[in-house]
């Protein structure tokens, strides 16, 4: 059961990275620097995506050490 939790944490981390890079790669936001989607939404999505990645990575490492 613990192996499944480690695998799910790793998958969540990968999804967090994909969410973080989405506004800059495959789901581009508008290119106008003064628009809300470019100046607020894209950096916010990046920060939350990286936060999901970091939390999932820490959880995976902690679960790996408990094993």
């Amino acid at each position: 059961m613990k192996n499944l939790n480690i695998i799910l944490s790793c998958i969540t981390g990968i999804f967090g990275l994909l969410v973080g890079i989405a506004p800059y790669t495959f789901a581009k936001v508008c290119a106008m620097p003064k628009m809300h989607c470019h100046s607020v939404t894209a950096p916010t999505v990046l920060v939350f995506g990286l936060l999901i990645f970091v939390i999932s990575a820490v959880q995976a490492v902690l679960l790996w050490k408990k094993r």
Side-chain angles (χ1 to χ4, degrees), residues 5-24:
N5 289 338
I6 294 170
I7 292 169
L8 290 175
S9 292
C10 292
I11 291 171
T12 304
I14 292 170
F15 283 148
L17 279 179
L18 288 175
V19 165
I21 65 170
Y24 301 102

Side-chain angles (χ1 to χ4, degrees), residues 22-25 27-32 37-39 41-42:
Y24 301 102
T25 55
K28 295 200 180 266
V29 296
C30 64
M32 297 176 151
C37 58
H38 184 78
S39 64
T41 304

Side-chain angles (χ1 to χ4, degrees), residues 26-64:
F26 52 87
K28 295 200 180 266
V29 296
C30 64
M32 297 176 151
K34 294 188 179 196
M35 294 294 289
H36 188 270
C37 58
H38 184 78
S39 64
V40 176
T41 304
T44 302
V45 170
L46 175 67
V47 168
F48 280 115
L50 292 177
L51 186 66
I52 290 169
F53 171 74
V54 168
I55 291 171
S56 298
V58 169
Q59 181 181 6
V61 168
L62 291 175
L63 287 171
W64 184 268

